[in-house]
């Protein structure tokens, strides 16, 4: 199993690549992949033939589990969450899971306890 | 977690396949890179490759003696999916057995939720077995389960199978089967 340095998202021990990378919420990925799929649909009669299984499964996943469909709402979610001192990873987890209370948020993202 | 990362790959090109001008050569190199990524599908440390979003830099080519091949280091950005231990995700159950349930989560086909990590649930055998919780919630085929990632494993075997697999747990608050109306 992976975990050379005991990776644990709950403590934000997620490796340098995640700390440097731009994390994306499911709703953002849904808009991006959907747009790409539409482009392929215009170019080909059978767009599913043009995309990999990874793309197809990812698209199905993010379309099903996106909390926000409206592009303006998606933008607003990131904008509002960016006002707080959260890492990219914490921001995206909150945007994906949409906790209803503070206690729920801390249970889902324990690293926020220090915020 | 989905993310946009910067990656570095070495693209090997036959010198005769490179175009006459810089633009044509660049196009050949990018095509070869995309072909390589689509065959690679995923890697142990970067996760599953969804799509390339931008080309940062094509480095200086290094010819390999008289072989006719040239290496080009290419830096680019790519969208990836890489689960991390401790992260909360959702999965869809596709198989239930006595020892636990198998779920799929995005491009990850194998997410195993052991009975040891689903407290309060007991196995109900039958034509379509399921796990029944003390609160009468069910974990059965087609159900969405919110889980925390316990561990991630990279599988690469001689048959060319390359994939990430996850171990899941619903020990904790706000984890377990999710009601359909929420999604």
């Amino acid at each position: 199993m992976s975990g050379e340095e005991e990776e644990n998202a709950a403590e934000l021990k997620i490796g340098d690549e995640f700390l440097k990378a731009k994390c994306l919420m499911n709703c953002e990925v849904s808009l991006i992949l959907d747009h790409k799929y539409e482009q392929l649909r215009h170019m080909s009669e059978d767009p599913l033939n043009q995309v990999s299984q990874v793309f197809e499964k990812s698209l199905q996943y993010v379309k099903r589990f996106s909390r926000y469909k409206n592009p303006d709402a998606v933008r607003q979610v990131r904008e509002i969450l960016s006002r707080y001192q959260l890492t990219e990873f914490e921001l995206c987890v909150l945007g994906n899971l949409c906790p209803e209370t503070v206690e729920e948020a801390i249970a889902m993202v324990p690293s926020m306890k220090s915020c | 977690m989905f993310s946009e990362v910067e990656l570095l790959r070495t693209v090997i090109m036959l010198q005769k396949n490179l175009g006459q001008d810089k633009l044509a050569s660049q196009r050949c190199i990018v095509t070869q890179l995309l072909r390589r990524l689509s065959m690679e599908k995923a890697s142990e440390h970067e996760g599953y490759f969804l799509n390339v979003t931008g080309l940062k830099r094509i480095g200086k080519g290094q010819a390999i003696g008289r072989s006719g091949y040239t290496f080009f280091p290419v830096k680019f950005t790519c969208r990836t999916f890489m689960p991390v231990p401790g992260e909360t995700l959702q999965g869809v159950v596709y198989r239930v057995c006595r020892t636990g349930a198998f779920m799929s989560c995005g491009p990850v086909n194998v997410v195993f939720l052991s009975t040891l990590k689903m407290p309060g649930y007991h196995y109900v055998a039958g034509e379509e077995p399921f796990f029944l919780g003390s609160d009468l919630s069910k974990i059965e085929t087609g159900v969405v389960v919110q889980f925390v990632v316990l561990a991630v494993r990279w599988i690469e075997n001689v048959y060319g199978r390359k994939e990430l697999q996850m171990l899941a747990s619903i020990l904790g608050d706000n984890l377990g089967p999710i009601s359909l109306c929420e999604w």
Side-chain angles (χ1 to χ4, degrees):
Chain A
M1 293 280 166
S2 74
E4 295 148 340
E5 297 168 1
E6 292 288 318
E7 274 186 329
N8 186 352
E11 293 168 24
L12 222 52
K13 287 182 192 170
I14 53 176
D16 286 340
E17 55 277 0
F18 266 109
L19 290 171
K20 286 182 215 164
K22 178 177 163 64
C23 294
L24 298 165
M25 295 183 281
N26 290 341
C27 50
E28 289 172 319
V29 177
S30 176
L31 291 178
I32 293 162
L33 295 188
D34 214 24
H35 177 68
K36 178 89 183 165
Y37 184 74
E38 286 299 311
Q39 281 182 327
L40 288 169
R41 215 159 62 96
H42 288 302
M43 281 163 46
S44 157
E45 279 177 10
D46 184 16
L48 285 175
N49 222 8
Q50 307 291 323
V51 301
S52 65
Q53 206 187 44
V54 169
F55 184 99
E56 198 187 324
K57 287 191 168 216
S58 302
L59 177 59
Q60 280 171 7
Y61 177 80
V62 293
K63 280 186 92 156
R64 186 169 184 180
F65 296 114
S66 290
R67 288 283 194 164
Y68 309 96
K69 311 285 183 194
N70 185 304
D72 288 330
V74 170
R75 216 172 297 124
Q76 275 180 27
V77 168
R78 184 170 275 274
E79 193 199 325
I80 290 167
L81 290 174
S82 300
R83 294 177 198 165
Y84 304 95
Q85 286 171 335
L86 300 168
T87 62
E88 278 278 317
F89 190 86
E90 288 167 337
L91 187 154
C92 289
V93 172
L94 288 178
N96 286 340
L97 301 177
C98 293
E100 289 180 357
T101 63
V102 170
E103 291 76 24
E104 222 179 287
I106 291 174
M108 288 173 181
V109 193
S111 56
M112 275 190 349
K113 259 188 235 164
S114 53
C115 288
Chain B
M1 175 62 70
F2 288 97
S3 52
E4 192 159 313
V5 296
E6 196 174 280
L7 300 175
L8 178 68
R9 284 289 183 279
T10 307
V11 174
I12 305 169
M13 298 290 298
L14 259 176
Q15 279 160 11
K16 66 175 185 182
N17 287 345
L18 290 169
Q20 295 297 316
D21 57 63
K22 190 178 175 183
L23 197 61
S25 299
Q26 214 174 54
R27 207 176 297 138
C28 293
I29 293 167
V30 169
T31 306
Q32 188 65 5
L33 172 72
L34 292 174
R35 208 173 279 150
R36 182 189 156 168
L37 278 182
S38 111
M39 279 173 54
E40 209 178 319
K41 292 183 195 171
S43 77
E44 184 178 358
H45 301 292
E46 291 138 359
Y48 286 90
F49 306 119
L50 266 62
N51 61 318
V52 173
T53 52
L55 184 67
K56 288 256 174 172
R57 191 173 165 267
I58 298 175
K60 197 175 169 185
Q62 287 178 338
I64 311 161
R66 290 184 199 170
S67 63
Y69 289 99
T70 307
F71 281 108
F72 288 93
V74 182
K75 210 179 256 188
F76 59 99
T77 50
C78 181
R79 261 178 223 113
T80 62
F81 177 77
M82 179 70 190
V84 180
E87 185 184 356
T88 303
L89 292 169
Q90 293 95 13
V92 182
V93 177
Y94 64 83
R95 193 176 156 199
V96 173
C97 60
R98 219 167 262 283
T99 51
F102 287 90
M103 300 183 282
S104 65
C105 174
V108 180
N109 291 320
V110 180
V111 182
F112 182 61
L113 175 62
S114 164
T115 49
L116 298 171
K117 296 296 176 185
M118 47 167 122
Y121 283 85
H122 66 271
Y123 179 71
V124 177
E127 210 175 289
E128 288 185 22
F130 59 93
F131 285 94
L132 187 66
S134 47
D135 57 357
L136 301 180
S137 60
K138 271 187 186 179
I139 294 178
E140 58 182 346
T141 305
V143 160
V144 172
V145 175
Q146 188 151 293
F147 63 91
V148 75
V149 179
L150 272 186
V152 180
R153 178 168 70 173
W154 172 248
I155 301 281
E156 193 170 350
N157 64 21
V158 294
Y159 304 108
R161 189 165 139 236
K162 281 191 223 175
E163 60 178 10
L164 289 168
Q165 295 179 346
M166 287 194 257
L167 267 183
S169 168
I170 54 171
L171 276 167
D173 297 327
N174 306 305
L175 299 174
I178 295 171
S179 112
L180 290 173
C181 64
E182 286 182 35
W183 298 100

